[in-house]
Amino acid sequence: MKVCVIGTGYVGLVTGVCLANIGHNVICIDNNEEKIKLMKSGQSPIYEPGLSELMQSCITNKNLLFSSDLKLGVEHGEILFIAVGTPALPNGESDTRYVEAVAKGIGENLNQGYKVIVNKSTVPIGSGDWVKMIVLDGVKEREKLLGNNQKIEVDFDVVSNPEFLREGSAIYDTFNPDRIVLGSESNQAINLMKKLYEPIILRQFAEEKNGDSIPVVVTDLTSAEMIKYAANSFLATKISFINEIANICDKVGADVTQVAQGIGLDSRIGTKFLQAGIGWGGSCFPKDVSALIHIADDYNYEVDLLKSVVKLNQHQRLIVIEKLQNKLKILKGKIIGLLGLTFKPDTDDMRDAPSLDIIKELTRLGAKVKAYDPIVSQTGISHGLSDVIIETNIMMLADSCDALVLVTEWQEFLKLDYQKMLEKMNNNIIVDGRNFLDKKLLKLAGFNYVGIGH
Ligand code: NAD
Ligand code: UGA
């Protein structure tokens, strides 16, 4: 099938590449010329394991093209994905201006033939109908330019197809989804979407081919939009729940890792997303929980639970500071080394990373902050990182530190020579913000280990 994906970020690029990989003919559009240039040369503008290799093979097979020409993409695609960003505005509301610009652009370029316009971006409830209206506005503007009351015939439906991939495992998640959600009032559109995803639904690209097909949840537009917000809000709540339990464990002397295992094996609860630590961050949980709160506010509904979840998460990010103060007392004049900066491992994404709040607070308290991150140290990403010295090797990070804080659980941090690092340090404190490191080994190496809820 002929597909156009508009917006080539973490979601759009992965979607475009994976759809090309399963045999569709895909054009990816972005208005960022630099990105287009890079992708045309076979390079991915984001770090996502496996993405560059898959992208290059699709380019070689000639079923993946990149362009900044929206008209080219719209005319090509029978299915048009909108996958641009929907960041949070300062009041928590979702900023839909990029979706609006794309919808308008689609309307201005819509050619003949039936098309499905897919909201892949996470958008506020009601955006399906709103996108339809904006597309039609674009069509009307073109009619005005034609003059003489000329009409342009267009035929399209809007589908909400929320995305559930996680950064760092985006390709795996795309080929092995737990479900595919399709929200629309049109059977024709739903059937085309099922045809598009057929190889995935039939697990032809899945790691486990157990004979079952992937569940497809067909809903109305509004419910599909709500499923996305509800899923992210539930997962954020689950993490905040275990973080709250961890904080109580710290008081009473229980071990949250054992507690998480003990409750997680109850199939009604499940073991996933029970990793206690410094809280959730990233480009989606924070903004999506805030957006849902904002939507409920519009209806004068007080979302006490989600507001508490956000408050708790804000506190959780700074829990490592409390732990450092317990051990070092005064942070002014101390040198703190951060292991990891990105909001989670296997990504270069720094959006709303807990490290940013930790750096800000440590700096406010007068500490000097250094950091080593496998991706940030290599690529020199500087966004939001003005108050931290980025070290390019782990021994330079350890040098003269009063304490180390593990912020992001990169696999390579399991294999560091901690004994050698300790020799370089001023003090032996290590705060494991993700309960990730081997506590016994670190103690043997001479560290004073502090976890979360241990
Ligand atoms: P992103 O910021 O990484 O990428 C957005 C891309 O859209 C950028 O490359 C930008 O240049 C491009 N763009 C903006 N305006 C454009 C325009 N008018 N025309 C063409 N291109 C334009 O965003 P993302 O992280 O990929 O997220 C996209 C959407 O998917 C968001 O709504 C997000 O909530 C949702 N989502 C993201 C993830 C994730 O893991 N990042 C997962 C699920 C859902
Ligand atoms: C999350 C969801 O998992 C995806 O399903 C969704 O598509 C995506 O948001 C989105 O809408 O953008 P992502 O943000 O990539 O994916 O990463 P997660 O693995 O969910 O982690 C989010 C945050 O929660 C990270 O900061 C992570 O460190 C934290 N986390 C996660 C915990 O603190 N504990 C856990 O047990 C799991």
Side-chain angles (χ1 to χ4, degrees):
M1 293 170 81
K2 289 181 170 178
V3 179
C4 166
V5 181
I6 306 154
T8 58
Y10 291 85
V11 165
L13 183 56
V14 171
T15 302
V17 168
C18 289
L19 288 175
N21 193 252
I22 65 175
H24 298 300
N25 194 334
V26 181
I27 297 187
C28 286
I29 304 289
D30 206 288
N31 62 357
N32 182 328
E33 299 276 358
E34 286 295 307
K35 274 192 174 180
I36 292 293
K37 218 163 113 191
L38 204 65
M39 291 183 289
K40 276 185 173 168
S41 74
Q43 285 173 274
S44 164
I46 53 165
Y47 174 73
E48 180 62 45
L51 183 60
S52 293
E53 295 80 346
L54 214 55
M55 190 175 135
Q56 280 154 18
S57 92
C58 295
I59 293 174
T60 311
N61 290 338
K62 298 201 183 323
N63 55 350
L64 179 62
L65 274 184
F66 296 99
S67 173
S68 55
D69 182 355
L70 183 62
K71 184 172 164 49
L72 177 84
V74 171
E75 289 184 351
H76 164 84
E78 48 187 317
I79 302 201
L80 312 173
F81 280 95
I82 303 179
V84 293
T86 47
L89 289 167
N91 67 354
E93 186 183 0
S94 173
D95 182 352
T96 51
R97 82 180 97 153
Y98 308 104
V99 175
E100 185 173 359
V102 171
K104 187 91 184 291
I106 291 177
E108 285 164 356
N109 292 292
L110 211 54
N111 53 332
Q112 287 199 332
Y114 179 69
K115 311 235 179 200
V116 180
I117 298 172
V118 186
N119 266 346
K120 182 64 111 180
S121 296
T122 303
V123 283
I125 318 295
S127 295
D129 290 335
W130 172 75
V131 161
K132 187 171 181 176
M133 184 186 82
I134 305 289
V135 172
L136 289 173
D137 283 349
V139 175
K140 275 183 206 141
E141 290 209 358
R142 227 167 85 210
E143 286 174 341
K144 262 195 225 152
L145 288 176
L146 288 176
N148 299 331
N149 284 332
Q150 285 196 60
K151 289 278 160 224
I152 297 172
E153 291 302 322
V154 291
D155 186 13
F156 71 93
D157 282 303
V158 176
V159 170
S160 166
N161 171 217
E163 180 54 62
F164 301 103
L165 65 78
R166 293 159 302 169
E167 291 179 22
S169 54
I171 295 193
Y172 175 88
D173 290 347
T174 304
F175 289 140
N176 303 267
D178 289 334
R179 77 305 205 183
I180 291 173
V181 174
L182 300 174
S184 177
E185 325 302 332
S186 153
N187 285 335
Q188 188 180 3
I190 296 289
N191 288 337
L192 266 183
M193 292 302 289
K194 284 184 178 167
K195 193 173 150 208
L196 176 84
Y197 283 128
E198 193 173 73
I200 293 176
I201 294 170
L202 297 178
R203 292 189 195 273
Q204 284 165 5
F205 289 80
E207 219 137 277
E208 265 186 51
K209 296 183 175 60
N210 59 9
D212 288 352
S213 52
I214 305 285
V216 179
V217 182
V218 177
T219 70
D220 55 83
L221 265 170
T222 311
S223 302
E225 290 164 352
M226 186 53 128
I227 286 169
K228 177 63 196 173
Y229 280 119
N232 273 1
S233 299
F234 182 82
L235 292 170
T237 303
K238 194 172 179 189
I239 301 166
S240 284
F241 172 82
I242 200 66
N243 284 337
E244 181 121 86
I245 296 293
N247 297 343
I248 305 172
C249 282
D250 259 339
K251 308 271 178 223
V252 300
D255 179 341
V256 74
T257 310
Q258 293 176 29
V259 175
Q261 192 195 11
I263 62 169
L265 287 171
D266 182 330
S267 60
R268 293 169 302 173
I269 296 174
T271 49
K272 292 178 183 165
F273 277 67
L274 282 181
Q275 182 66 43
I278 51 172
W280 39 271
S283 67
C284 288
F285 282 0
K287 81 168 174 62
D288 290 349
V289 178
S290 298
L292 187 53
I293 292 173
H294 193 275
I295 290 163
D297 276 348
D298 281 348
Y299 292 82
N300 279 329
Y301 182 77
E302 264 308 306
V303 263
D304 291 335
L305 175 67
L306 292 181
K307 283 183 179 167
S308 299
V309 164
V310 171
K311 196 171 150 208
L312 219 134
N313 195 53
Q314 210 50 44
H315 170 253
Q316 200 66 23
R317 286 183 172 198
L318 301 182
I319 209 124
V320 293
I321 313 267
E322 276 175 44
K323 288 175 186 286
L324 287 171
Q325 283 175 327
N326 278 343
K327 292 287 176 188
L328 295 169
K329 305 300 173 202
I330 291 165
L331 296 182
K332 204 177 182 70
K334 299 286 189 325
I335 304 178
I336 310 296
L338 306 185
L339 288 162
L341 286 166
T342 52
F343 85 97
K344 64 182 280 190
D346 293 324
T347 182
D348 54 0
D349 202 341
M350 282 299 302
R351 288 178 284 183
D352 217 334
S355 61
L356 298 174
D357 282 348
I358 294 171
I359 292 166
K360 204 163 138 199
E361 185 60 5
L362 283 172
T363 310
R364 191 187 72 78
L365 291 167
K368 179 167 158 184
V369 191
K370 307 199 284 176
Y372 170 83
D373 179 280
I375 282 286
V376 177
S377 296
Q378 261 179 41
T379 56
I381 299 167
S382 58
H383 178 69
L385 292 171
S386 52
D387 287 328
V388 55
I389 302 162
I390 309 289
E391 299 291 6
T392 48
N393 86 53
I394 207 75
M395 287 304 156
M396 275 159 75
L397 176 79
D399 191 30
S400 309
C401 271
D402 292 284
L404 291 175
V405 178
L406 182 119
V407 174
T408 317
E409 66 276 35
W410 287 92
Q411 281 298 317
E412 72 172 69
F413 294 155
L414 286 177
K415 298 179 219 125
L416 299 179
D417 187 343
Y418 283 100
Q419 209 148 13
K420 216 164 155 195
M421 285 167 74
L422 189 56
E423 285 166 21
K424 296 236 157 210
M425 290 175 61
N426 282 345
N427 207 328
N428 66 346
I429 316 293
I430 186 158
V431 181
D432 184 354
R434 299 283 183 184
N435 290 341
F436 176 67
L437 300 171
D438 188 329
K439 182 174 159 179
K440 277 191 197 142
L441 269 182
L442 283 164
K443 281 187 171 173
L444 269 178
F447 272 97
N448 185 346
Y449 175 95
V450 185
I452 310 281
H454 273 245

